[in-house]
DNA sequence: TTATTTAATTTAGCAAATGAAATAATTTAT
DNA sequence: ATAAATTATTTCATTTGCTAAATTAAATAA
């Protein structure tokens, strides 16, 4: 349908906002003749439209923008209970969202997802762009391309081909991805890191997950497990707790949400993260210690990521309460202390809140990425 | 000069050995017509030649191979004193090698390198292929493309443009690269890991260096420092030594060659790695402990690399004496213990010797890679 | 010998991109 | 107001890199 040329143009417009034809030719190293032709076709297909004119010396440049109604995408997160479902446009704006109970039975889950898709289709005849794809997020391992869930502990699935099944049921392209990977694609496509060639993302919730964009592409690793960070051996000296992986002192046993809540409970503190953060802010010593230790542990792990991979930025997404807490300060301190001092340059650390919706939005970004970029690089 | 098509063919032949035209068409997803034309041009340029015929059912296939005299390459290692210089063919075979004292004065160093190149040119009129490029290796940070040495502690250089300077003096393309990066390109092009999409390499000598091939490409990281592993915080619990980076307990203070020799000296053992390994083999407790500790420390760091990046293989290059020692066994054990158990699959760990020559050969591979592959992927 | 099979080449042609010239829409200078 | 300059975009003839289909080449099997 669309050629690489089309996708390359969409890629630039999605990432850097409206550009003129001449800009595009320069950015993409294409001739102006080619850009004219490619843009004409994209306008005919109602993917792009002409925006305001920018006046300079000579003939004004006509800016070209990605239409909000070029297409729409459904994102489904099976990452936790309840499942979240969103409908987005190509810019990542959420137009509709709801939840439904997570069903672990494969057939029932497929039926529920197909039903949700049908509901959305019924409710949205054509006010926004035509539905162009579905993304599904699971916590677990997904095969690189065949869109099969190889293993998921939360769902209890092994080698389940939800991708092809849901595609058949809905008649739409379906993309399945691991939670951290979906989150980083969402950050790349819908977030603020689209211009970066290399960046990493780590999220902290029930577990700790990580993913890397390397050379503009998601780095899956050889068996799809790249970005795994939760079992970094971090607490050798401290009272190392046993981890579900069999070792002791893994990052997850110190810095994941359940670990923080568990430590708080053992210290007689309330079992709610908001309250714990508040106590720490008021100076309560146990709360401070627990959050400080968790932040430091994650910081040390991130310093390793920085040394090994040297990304331009690491995005850390965590509970909104933690974003401005001791946890965050300890994290930054630990990174400062453990990263080899560099004259010119420092990996940027960006902390932001993680909302349950974000996984579903990430899921939608998978479908959007495919629609906009095809298999293109740049 | 050569198109992407040519380079893609050379890439396959270099990596997988001789192939028929039909094989190439299948491997590269090209039409047989294209392969015929591209191969004809490469044969006319004396890059390829026809080899033996392989008989099957129908018409026999003519195998095509990369000519040993297609071109030759000079590799210069300024990684340590003395500097090593090699002359190789496109398969990485070393045809001539020698050393010269390392000079840290920039002008003197350039003059020495240019002189060495001229000597080689004089001594080798045209018995092997025409000289097609020069690679230079330094211990330090090199800018991504402009071939400028940004910083090197051993040489005391900052922002020195040896690449362009040497290119001007010799009239040949020059490629400058960091030591670990050159080593991994050498492994990819001249070694046994050419078919792998993702692998990592770590070497242990005066320091510890690492590099990653991701998606067939060298991953330099945003400021060229990717692969940095020597300052992983590893020895928190043990008697952590101060490191030149300012922290304590870095991997380098435990597992690098000087660290091992230093620990041995403090225990009253001889200051030679061969003797230390021999003592350990005989069961001498201090020697065993020192090597075991060093191997374990490196193993723990590598387990982190495996979790974060999930490469298909990690190549570890170290002193020949260490390859079959307690160090190696401890390293493998530590990796086994710390990597999250995987059902189907395990990152392969390959230990091999590191000879002083290898950096120079790696340097030559940089030039060879450019000659053979251009800027191509696959 | 003849049919079959696989490899390689030829041929005509397409799709994407290009360079150079032409056209369009402005601002600045006169 | 008009002409000159400037920059954006389009047109058009052409090149580049590839392909599909038919053809030729060189072998084996019957």
């Amino acid at each position: 349908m669309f050629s690489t040329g089309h996708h390359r143009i969409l890629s630039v417009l999605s990432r850097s906002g409206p550009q003129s034809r001449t800009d595009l030719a320069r950015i993409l190293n294409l001739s102006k003749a080619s850009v004219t032709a490619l843009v004409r076709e994209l306008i005919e297909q109602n993917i792009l439209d002409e925006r305001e004119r920018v006046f300079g010396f000579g003939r004004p440049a006509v800016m070209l923008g990605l239409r909000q109604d070029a297409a729409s995408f459904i994102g489904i997160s099976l990452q936790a209970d309840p499942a979240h479902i969103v409908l987005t446009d190509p810019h990542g704006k959420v137009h509709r969202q709801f939840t439904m109970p997570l069903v672990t039975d494969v057939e029932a889950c497929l039926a529920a997802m197909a039903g949700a898709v049908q509901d959305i289709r019924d409710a949205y005849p054509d006010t926004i762009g035509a539905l162009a794809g579905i993304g599904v997020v699971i916590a677990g391992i997904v095969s690189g391309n065949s869109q099969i869930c190889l293993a998921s502990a939360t769902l209890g699935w092994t080698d389940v081909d939800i991708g092809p099944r849901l595609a058949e049921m809905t008649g739409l392209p379906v993309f399945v991805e691991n939670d951290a990977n979906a989150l980083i694609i969402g950050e790349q496509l819908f977030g603020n890191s689209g211009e970066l060639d290399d960046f990493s993302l780590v999220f902290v919730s029930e577990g700790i997950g990580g993913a890397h964009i390397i050379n503009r592409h998601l780095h899956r690793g050889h068996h799809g497990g790249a970005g795994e960070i939760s079992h970094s051996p971090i607490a050798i000296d401290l009272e190392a707790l046993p981890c579900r992986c069999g070792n002791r002192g893994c990052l997850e046993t110190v810095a994941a949400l359940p670990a923080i809540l568990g430590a708080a409970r053992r210290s007689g503190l309330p079992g709610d993260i908001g309250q714990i953060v508040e106590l720490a802010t008021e100076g309560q010593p146990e709360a401070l210690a627990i959050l400080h230790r968790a932040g430091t542990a994650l910081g040390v792990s991130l310093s390793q990521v920085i040394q090994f991979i040297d990304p331009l930025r690491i995005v850390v997404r965590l509970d909104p309460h933690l974003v401005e807490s001791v946890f965050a300060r300890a994290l930054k301190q630990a990174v400062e202390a453990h990263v080899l001092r560099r004259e010119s340059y420092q990996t940027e650390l960006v902390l932001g809140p993680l909302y349950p919706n974000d996984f579903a939005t990430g899921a939608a970004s998978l479908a959007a990425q495919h629609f906009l970029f095809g298999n293109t690089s740049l």
Side-chain angles (χ1 to χ4, degrees), chain A residues 29-31 33-34 53 56-60:
Chain A
N29 275 315
L30 276 171
S31 69
S34 304
R53 299 192 296 174
F57 218 147
R59 172 174 174 174

mmCIF file of all heavy atoms in Angstrom, chain A residues 29-31 33-34 53 56-60, chain C residues 16-21 23-28:
data_model
loop_
_atom_site.group_PDB
_atom_site.id
_atom_site.type_symbol
_atom_site.label_atom_id
_atom_site.label_comp_id
_atom_site.label_asym_id
_atom_site.label_seq_id
_atom_site.Cartn_x
_atom_site.Cartn_y
_atom_site.Cartn_z
ATOM 1 N N ASN A 29 17.014 13.338 3.142
ATOM 2 C CA ASN A 29 17.919 13.196 2.004
ATOM 3 C C ASN A 29 17.199 12.694 0.760
ATOM 4 O O ASN A 29 17.674 11.795 0.068
ATOM 5 C CB ASN A 29 19.077 12.256 2.335
ATOM 6 C CG ASN A 29 20.201 12.980 3.020
ATOM 7 O OD1 ASN A 29 20.584 14.069 2.595
ATOM 8 N ND2 ASN A 29 20.714 12.406 4.091
ATOM 9 N N LEU A 30 16.038 13.270 0.524
ATOM 10 C CA LEU A 30 15.293 12.929 -0.689
ATOM 11 C C LEU A 30 15.284 14.158 -1.591
ATOM 12 O O LEU A 30 15.466 15.286 -1.122
ATOM 13 C CB LEU A 30 13.847 12.570 -0.332
ATOM 14 C CG LEU A 30 13.577 11.146 0.122
ATOM 15 C CD1 LEU A 30 12.161 11.016 0.644
ATOM 16 C CD2 LEU A 30 13.807 10.188 -1.029
ATOM 17 N N SER A 31 15.052 13.943 -2.857
ATOM 18 C CA SER A 31 14.925 15.089 -3.749
ATOM 19 C C SER A 31 13.573 15.752 -3.507
ATOM 20 O O SER A 31 12.627 15.112 -3.054
ATOM 21 C CB SER A 31 15.022 14.645 -5.198
ATOM 22 O OG SER A 31 13.890 13.892 -5.537
ATOM 23 N N ALA A 33 11.600 16.656 -5.679
ATOM 24 C CA ALA A 33 10.639 16.038 -6.603
ATOM 25 C C ALA A 33 9.960 14.836 -5.942
ATOM 26 O O ALA A 33 8.740 14.673 -6.010
ATOM 27 C CB ALA A 33 11.348 15.617 -7.883
ATOM 28 N N SER A 34 10.763 14.003 -5.290
ATOM 29 C CA SER A 34 10.208 12.810 -4.648
ATOM 30 C C SER A 34 9.239 13.195 -3.559
ATOM 31 O O SER A 34 8.145 12.633 -3.451
ATOM 32 C CB SER A 34 11.331 11.968 -4.042
ATOM 33 O OG SER A 34 12.274 11.640 -5.007
ATOM 34 N N ARG A 53 0.899 28.460 6.500
ATOM 35 C CA ARG A 53 2.062 28.795 5.678
ATOM 36 C C ARG A 53 3.057 29.606 6.506
ATOM 37 O O ARG A 53 2.668 30.455 7.300
ATOM 38 C CB ARG A 53 1.614 29.571 4.452
ATOM 39 C CG ARG A 53 0.655 28.744 3.588
ATOM 40 C CD ARG A 53 0.440 29.362 2.255
ATOM 41 N NE ARG A 53 -0.218 30.657 2.343
ATOM 42 C CZ ARG A 53 -0.405 31.454 1.299
ATOM 43 N NH1 ARG A 53 0.004 31.080 0.097
ATOM 44 N NH2 ARG A 53 -1.015 32.613 1.448
ATOM 45 N N GLY A 56 8.799 33.613 4.817
ATOM 46 C CA GLY A 56 10.209 33.955 4.960
ATOM 47 C C GLY A 56 10.544 34.958 3.880
ATOM 48 O O GLY A 56 9.771 35.887 3.635
ATOM 49 N N PHE A 57 11.663 34.746 3.236
ATOM 50 C CA PHE A 57 12.064 35.653 2.178
ATOM 51 C C PHE A 57 11.241 35.427 0.898
ATOM 52 O O PHE A 57 10.509 36.296 0.447
ATOM 53 C CB PHE A 57 13.547 35.455 1.876
ATOM 54 C CG PHE A 57 14.235 36.745 1.575
ATOM 55 C CD1 PHE A 57 15.570 36.937 1.929
ATOM 56 C CD2 PHE A 57 13.568 37.780 0.939
ATOM 57 C CE1 PHE A 57 16.214 38.127 1.654
ATOM 58 C CE2 PHE A 57 14.212 38.979 0.663
ATOM 59 C CZ PHE A 57 15.527 39.144 1.024
ATOM 60 N N GLY A 58 11.318 34.222 0.410
ATOM 61 C CA GLY A 58 10.661 33.947 -0.865
ATOM 62 C C GLY A 58 9.262 33.380 -0.733
ATOM 63 O O GLY A 58 8.500 33.811 0.138
ATOM 64 N N ARG A 59 8.946 32.435 -1.542
ATOM 65 C CA ARG A 59 7.629 31.791 -1.485
ATOM 66 C C ARG A 59 7.452 31.121 -0.127
ATOM 67 O O ARG A 59 8.349 30.453 0.357
ATOM 68 C CB ARG A 59 7.542 30.753 -2.601
ATOM 69 C CG ARG A 59 6.308 29.881 -2.541
ATOM 70 C CD ARG A 59 6.241 28.990 -3.770
ATOM 71 N NE ARG A 59 5.155 28.052 -3.681
ATOM 72 C CZ ARG A 59 4.783 27.236 -4.653
ATOM 73 N NH1 ARG A 59 5.445 27.249 -5.810
ATOM 74 N NH2 ARG A 59 3.786 26.411 -4.513
ATOM 75 N N PRO A 60 6.307 31.313 0.508
ATOM 76 C CA PRO A 60 6.130 30.743 1.848
ATOM 77 C C PRO A 60 6.080 29.221 1.802
ATOM 78 O O PRO A 60 5.632 28.635 0.814
ATOM 79 C CB PRO A 60 4.789 31.328 2.301
ATOM 80 C CG PRO A 60 4.078 31.703 1.063
ATOM 81 C CD PRO A 60 5.127 32.060 0.052
ATOM 82 P P DA C 16 6.912 2.435 -5.933
ATOM 83 O OP1 DA C 16 6.421 1.848 -4.670
ATOM 84 O OP2 DA C 16 6.052 3.332 -6.735
ATOM 85 O "O5'" DA C 16 8.276 3.182 -5.612
ATOM 86 C "C5'" DA C 16 9.425 2.414 -5.250
ATOM 87 C "C4'" DA C 16 10.629 3.310 -5.332
ATOM 88 O "O4'" DA C 16 10.983 3.508 -6.730
ATOM 89 C "C3'" DA C 16 10.408 4.700 -4.739
ATOM 90 O "O3'" DA C 16 11.476 4.959 -3.854
ATOM 91 C "C2'" DA C 16 10.395 5.624 -5.946
ATOM 92 C "C1'" DA C 16 11.267 4.877 -6.941
ATOM 93 N N9 DA C 16 11.003 5.136 -8.355
ATOM 94 C C8 DA C 16 9.800 5.237 -8.988
ATOM 95 N N7 DA C 16 9.897 5.462 -10.280
ATOM 96 C C5 DA C 16 11.257 5.505 -10.514
ATOM 97 C C6 DA C 16 12.016 5.705 -11.679
ATOM 98 N N6 DA C 16 11.475 5.912 -12.890
ATOM 99 N N1 DA C 16 13.359 5.683 -11.571
ATOM 100 C C2 DA C 16 13.907 5.473 -10.357
ATOM 101 N N3 DA C 16 13.297 5.269 -9.175
ATOM 102 C C4 DA C 16 11.956 5.301 -9.336
ATOM 103 P P DA C 17 11.494 6.321 -2.997
ATOM 104 O OP1 DA C 17 12.026 5.971 -1.661
ATOM 105 O OP2 DA C 17 10.204 7.026 -3.135
ATOM 106 O "O5'" DA C 17 12.615 7.161 -3.760
ATOM 107 C "C5'" DA C 17 13.893 6.575 -3.926
ATOM 108 C "C4'" DA C 17 14.659 7.359 -4.946
ATOM 109 O "O4'" DA C 17 14.027 7.217 -6.231
ATOM 110 C "C3'" DA C 17 14.702 8.867 -4.654
ATOM 111 O "O3'" DA C 17 16.044 9.276 -4.497
ATOM 112 C "C2'" DA C 17 14.048 9.504 -5.852
ATOM 113 C "C1'" DA C 17 14.170 8.434 -6.920
ATOM 114 N N9 DA C 17 13.106 8.530 -7.919
ATOM 115 C C8 DA C 17 11.757 8.488 -7.718
ATOM 116 N N7 DA C 17 11.051 8.606 -8.818
ATOM 117 C C5 DA C 17 12.014 8.741 -9.804
ATOM 118 C C6 DA C 17 11.927 8.912 -11.196
ATOM 119 N N6 DA C 17 10.757 8.976 -11.853
ATOM 120 N N1 DA C 17 13.087 9.007 -11.889
ATOM 121 C C2 DA C 17 14.246 8.941 -11.222
ATOM 122 N N3 DA C 17 14.458 8.782 -9.922
ATOM 123 C C4 DA C 17 13.280 8.686 -9.259
ATOM 124 P P DT C 18 16.347 10.822 -4.188
ATOM 125 O OP1 DT C 18 17.327 10.752 -3.096
ATOM 126 O OP2 DT C 18 15.122 11.625 -4.049
ATOM 127 O "O5'" DT C 18 17.084 11.314 -5.502
ATOM 128 C "C5'" DT C 18 17.745 10.372 -6.343
ATOM 129 C "C4'" DT C 18 18.144 11.080 -7.624
ATOM 130 O "O4'" DT C 18 17.086 10.909 -8.598
ATOM 131 C "C3'" DT C 18 18.322 12.587 -7.441
ATOM 132 O "O3'" DT C 18 19.617 12.973 -7.831
ATOM 133 C "C2'" DT C 18 17.248 13.231 -8.314
ATOM 134 C "C1'" DT C 18 16.861 12.118 -9.266
ATOM 135 N N1 DT C 18 15.411 12.156 -9.628
ATOM 136 C C2 DT C 18 15.060 12.281 -10.947
ATOM 137 O O2 DT C 18 15.876 12.364 -11.846
ATOM 138 N N3 DT C 18 13.707 12.311 -11.181
ATOM 139 C C4 DT C 18 12.698 12.228 -10.241
ATOM 140 O O4 DT C 18 11.524 12.265 -10.571
ATOM 141 C C5 DT C 18 13.144 12.095 -8.878
ATOM 142 C C7 DT C 18 12.119 12.002 -7.776
ATOM 143 C C6 DT C 18 14.448 12.070 -8.635
ATOM 144 P P DG C 19 20.187 14.400 -7.417
ATOM 145 O OP1 DG C 19 21.501 14.140 -6.820
ATOM 146 O OP2 DG C 19 19.149 15.132 -6.663
ATOM 147 O "O5'" DG C 19 20.387 15.136 -8.809
ATOM 148 C "C5'" DG C 19 20.734 14.387 -9.974
ATOM 149 C "C4'" DG C 19 20.652 15.302 -11.178
ATOM 150 O "O4'" DG C 19 19.289 15.317 -11.688
ATOM 151 C "C3'" DG C 19 20.999 16.761 -10.908
ATOM 152 O "O3'" DG C 19 21.650 17.273 -12.072
ATOM 153 C "C2'" DG C 19 19.637 17.418 -10.646
ATOM 154 C "C1'" DG C 19 18.705 16.599 -11.541
ATOM 155 N N9 DG C 19 17.356 16.388 -11.012
ATOM 156 C C8 DG C 19 16.990 16.249 -9.696
ATOM 157 N N7 DG C 19 15.705 16.046 -9.521
ATOM 158 C C5 DG C 19 15.194 16.040 -10.810
ATOM 159 C C6 DG C 19 13.853 15.860 -11.264
ATOM 160 O O6 DG C 19 12.831 15.655 -10.612
ATOM 161 N N1 DG C 19 13.772 15.931 -12.654
ATOM 162 C C2 DG C 19 14.830 16.149 -13.497
ATOM 163 N N2 DG C 19 14.556 16.184 -14.794
ATOM 164 N N3 DG C 19 16.089 16.320 -13.091
ATOM 165 C C4 DG C 19 16.187 16.255 -11.735
ATOM 166 P P DA C 20 22.123 18.766 -12.163
ATOM 167 O OP1 DA C 20 23.425 18.722 -12.868
ATOM 168 O OP2 DA C 20 22.004 19.417 -10.840
ATOM 169 O "O5'" DA C 20 21.035 19.408 -13.132
ATOM 170 C "C5'" DA C 20 20.507 18.626 -14.212
ATOM 171 C "C4'" DA C 20 19.498 19.454 -14.979
ATOM 172 O "O4'" DA C 20 18.175 19.207 -14.440
ATOM 173 C "C3'" DA C 20 19.704 20.964 -14.884
ATOM 174 O "O3'" DA C 20 19.335 21.554 -16.116
ATOM 175 C "C2'" DA C 20 18.786 21.370 -13.743
ATOM 176 C "C1'" DA C 20 17.606 20.427 -13.987
ATOM 177 N N9 DA C 20 16.813 20.122 -12.811
ATOM 178 C C8 DA C 20 17.218 20.094 -11.492
ATOM 179 N N7 DA C 20 16.257 19.787 -10.651
ATOM 180 C C5 DA C 20 15.152 19.592 -11.466
ATOM 181 C C6 DA C 20 13.819 19.240 -11.182
ATOM 182 N N6 DA C 20 13.366 19.000 -9.947
ATOM 183 N N1 DA C 20 12.965 19.135 -12.227
ATOM 184 C C2 DA C 20 13.417 19.372 -13.461
ATOM 185 N N3 DA C 20 14.648 19.705 -13.847
ATOM 186 C C4 DA C 20 15.470 19.799 -12.789
ATOM 187 P P DA C 21 19.448 23.128 -16.319
ATOM 188 O OP1 DA C 21 20.272 23.318 -17.519
ATOM 189 O OP2 DA C 21 19.801 23.793 -15.036
ATOM 190 O "O5'" DA C 21 17.937 23.499 -16.664
ATOM 191 C "C5'" DA C 21 17.190 22.613 -17.516
ATOM 192 C "C4'" DA C 21 15.731 22.988 -17.439
ATOM 193 O "O4'" DA C 21 15.191 22.530 -16.171
ATOM 194 C "C3'" DA C 21 15.454 24.488 -17.509
ATOM 195 O "O3'" DA C 21 14.378 24.729 -18.402
ATOM 196 C "C2'" DA C 21 15.123 24.862 -16.066
ATOM 197 C "C1'" DA C 21 14.472 23.581 -15.567
ATOM 198 N N9 DA C 21 14.540 23.378 -14.115
ATOM 199 C C8 DA C 21 15.615 23.571 -13.295
ATOM 200 N N7 DA C 21 15.370 23.303 -12.031
ATOM 201 C C5 DA C 21 14.035 22.915 -12.026
ATOM 202 C C6 DA C 21 13.171 22.505 -10.989
ATOM 203 N N6 DA C 21 13.543 22.413 -9.719
ATOM 204 N N1 DA C 21 11.911 22.185 -11.320
ATOM 205 C C2 DA C 21 11.538 22.282 -12.603
ATOM 206 N N3 DA C 21 12.260 22.661 -13.673
ATOM 207 C C4 DA C 21 13.512 22.963 -13.306
ATOM 208 P P DT C 23 7.232 27.564 -17.415
ATOM 209 O OP1 DT C 23 6.146 27.205 -18.353
ATOM 210 O OP2 DT C 23 8.056 28.772 -17.623
ATOM 211 O "O5'" DT C 23 6.620 27.633 -15.953
ATOM 212 C "C5'" DT C 23 5.969 26.491 -15.420
ATOM 213 C "C4'" DT C 23 5.592 26.771 -13.984
ATOM 214 O "O4'" DT C 23 6.779 26.831 -13.159
ATOM 215 C "C3'" DT C 23 4.848 28.095 -13.772
ATOM 216 O "O3'" DT C 23 3.663 27.798 -13.068
ATOM 217 C "C2'" DT C 23 5.837 28.940 -12.970
ATOM 218 C "C1'" DT C 23 6.597 27.848 -12.208
ATOM 219 N N1 DT C 23 7.927 28.177 -11.667
ATOM 220 C C2 DT C 23 8.177 27.929 -10.341
ATOM 221 O O2 DT C 23 7.350 27.471 -9.588
ATOM 222 N N3 DT C 23 9.439 28.242 -9.919
ATOM 223 C C4 DT C 23 10.463 28.772 -10.677
ATOM 224 O O4 DT C 23 11.549 29.011 -10.179
ATOM 225 C C5 DT C 23 10.136 29.017 -12.062
ATOM 226 C C7 DT C 23 11.179 29.597 -12.985
ATOM 227 C C6 DT C 23 8.907 28.705 -12.494
ATOM 228 P P DA C 24 2.636 28.940 -12.679
ATOM 229 O OP1 DA C 24 1.288 28.351 -12.815
ATOM 230 O OP2 DA C 24 3.001 30.201 -13.363
ATOM 231 O "O5'" DA C 24 2.933 29.120 -11.125
ATOM 232 C "C5'" DA C 24 2.882 27.990 -10.273
ATOM 233 C "C4'" DA C 24 3.040 28.455 -8.847
ATOM 234 O "O4'" DA C 24 4.445 28.725 -8.594
ATOM 235 C "C3'" DA C 24 2.290 29.739 -8.517
ATOM 236 O "O3'" DA C 24 1.639 29.521 -7.280
ATOM 237 C "C2'" DA C 24 3.372 30.813 -8.453
ATOM 238 C "C1'" DA C 24 4.590 29.998 -8.009
ATOM 239 N N9 DA C 24 5.899 30.472 -8.460
ATOM 240 C C8 DA C 24 6.267 30.842 -9.725
ATOM 241 N N7 DA C 24 7.535 31.201 -9.829
ATOM 242 C C5 DA C 24 8.023 31.051 -8.537
ATOM 243 C C6 DA C 24 9.294 31.270 -7.988
ATOM 244 N N6 DA C 24 10.343 31.694 -8.673
ATOM 245 N N1 DA C 24 9.445 31.025 -6.654
ATOM 246 C C2 DA C 24 8.392 30.595 -5.962
ATOM 247 N N3 DA C 24 7.147 30.357 -6.371
ATOM 248 C C4 DA C 24 7.036 30.606 -7.679
ATOM 249 P P DA C 25 0.571 30.551 -6.735
ATOM 250 O OP1 DA C 25 -0.482 29.737 -6.097
ATOM 251 O OP2 DA C 25 0.255 31.546 -7.773
ATOM 252 O "O5'" DA C 25 1.390 31.286 -5.582
ATOM 253 C "C5'" DA C 25 1.881 30.521 -4.487
ATOM 254 C "C4'" DA C 25 2.745 31.419 -3.636
ATOM 255 O "O4'" DA C 25 3.984 31.682 -4.336
ATOM 256 C "C3'" DA C 25 2.119 32.790 -3.330
ATOM 257 O "O3'" DA C 25 2.304 33.057 -1.963
ATOM 258 C "C2'" DA C 25 2.914 33.751 -4.195
ATOM 259 C "C1'" DA C 25 4.275 33.058 -4.226
ATOM 260 N N9 DA C 25 5.138 33.415 -5.347
ATOM 261 C C8 DA C 25 4.787 33.613 -6.654
ATOM 262 N N7 DA C 25 5.805 33.923 -7.443
ATOM 263 C C5 DA C 25 6.890 33.934 -6.588
ATOM 264 C C6 DA C 25 8.259 34.186 -6.801
ATOM 265 N N6 DA C 25 8.772 34.499 -7.991
ATOM 266 N N1 DA C 25 9.079 34.110 -5.728
ATOM 267 C C2 DA C 25 8.554 33.796 -4.538
ATOM 268 N N3 DA C 25 7.285 33.529 -4.217
ATOM 269 C C4 DA C 25 6.498 33.622 -5.292
ATOM 270 P P DT C 26 1.246 33.808 -1.113
ATOM 271 O OP1 DT C 26 0.624 32.812 -0.258
ATOM 272 O OP2 DT C 26 0.425 34.653 -2.028
ATOM 273 O "O5'" DT C 26 2.137 34.744 -0.206
ATOM 274 C "C5'" DT C 26 2.817 35.869 -0.749
ATOM 275 C "C4'" DT C 26 4.289 35.787 -0.416
ATOM 276 O "O4'" DT C 26 5.013 35.310 -1.557
ATOM 277 C "C3'" DT C 26 4.896 37.148 -0.094
ATOM 278 O "O3'" DT C 26 4.826 37.347 1.321
ATOM 279 C "C2'" DT C 26 6.334 36.972 -0.530
ATOM 280 C "C1'" DT C 26 6.283 35.901 -1.608
ATOM 281 N N1 DT C 26 6.513 36.400 -2.994
ATOM 282 C C2 DT C 26 7.804 36.706 -3.386
ATOM 283 O O2 DT C 26 8.761 36.626 -2.657
ATOM 284 N N3 DT C 26 7.924 37.134 -4.683
ATOM 285 C C4 DT C 26 6.909 37.287 -5.608
ATOM 286 O O4 DT C 26 7.143 37.679 -6.739
ATOM 287 C C5 DT C 26 5.579 36.954 -5.140
ATOM 288 C C7 DT C 26 4.403 37.076 -6.064
ATOM 289 C C6 DT C 26 5.438 36.523 -3.859
ATOM 290 P P DT C 27 5.030 38.795 1.909
ATOM 291 O OP1 DT C 27 4.739 38.739 3.347
ATOM 292 O OP2 DT C 27 4.316 39.742 1.036
ATOM 293 O "O5'" DT C 27 6.589 39.025 1.691
ATOM 294 C "C5'" DT C 27 7.542 38.302 2.483
ATOM 295 C "C4'" DT C 27 8.934 38.802 2.143
ATOM 296 O "O4'" DT C 27 9.132 38.745 0.701
ATOM 297 C "C3'" DT C 27 9.184 40.251 2.554
ATOM 298 O "O3'" DT C 27 10.494 40.363 3.082
ATOM 299 C "C2'" DT C 27 9.032 41.035 1.255
ATOM 300 C "C1'" DT C 27 9.510 40.021 0.210
ATOM 301 N N1 DT C 27 8.886 40.186 -1.138
ATOM 302 C C2 DT C 27 9.682 40.346 -2.234
ATOM 303 O O2 DT C 27 10.884 40.371 -2.191
ATOM 304 N N3 DT C 27 8.996 40.464 -3.426
ATOM 305 C C4 DT C 27 7.629 40.452 -3.617
ATOM 306 O O4 DT C 27 7.141 40.569 -4.729
ATOM 307 C C5 DT C 27 6.855 40.287 -2.416
ATOM 308 C C7 DT C 27 5.353 40.261 -2.502
ATOM 309 C C6 DT C 27 7.498 40.161 -1.235
ATOM 310 P P DT C 28 10.981 41.702 3.752
ATOM 311 O OP1 DT C 28 11.904 41.375 4.856
ATOM 312 O OP2 DT C 28 9.812 42.568 3.976
ATOM 313 O "O5'" DT C 28 11.839 42.331 2.562
ATOM 314 C "C5'" DT C 28 12.990 41.635 2.087
ATOM 315 C "C4'" DT C 28 13.652 42.447 0.997
ATOM 316 O "O4'" DT C 28 12.814 42.449 -0.192
ATOM 317 C "C3'" DT C 28 13.906 43.921 1.348
ATOM 318 O "O3'" DT C 28 15.254 44.234 1.014
ATOM 319 C "C2'" DT C 28 12.889 44.688 0.508
ATOM 320 C "C1'" DT C 28 12.726 43.762 -0.707
ATOM 321 N N1 DT C 28 11.418 43.830 -1.436
ATOM 322 C C2 DT C 28 11.430 43.920 -2.818
ATOM 323 O O2 DT C 28 12.435 43.950 -3.477
ATOM 324 N N3 DT C 28 10.172 43.953 -3.396
ATOM 325 C C4 DT C 28 8.954 43.913 -2.752
ATOM 326 O O4 DT C 28 7.906 43.943 -3.388
ATOM 327 C C5 DT C 28 9.027 43.827 -1.318
ATOM 328 C C7 DT C 28 7.762 43.794 -0.526
ATOM 329 C C6 DT C 28 10.244 43.783 -0.715
#
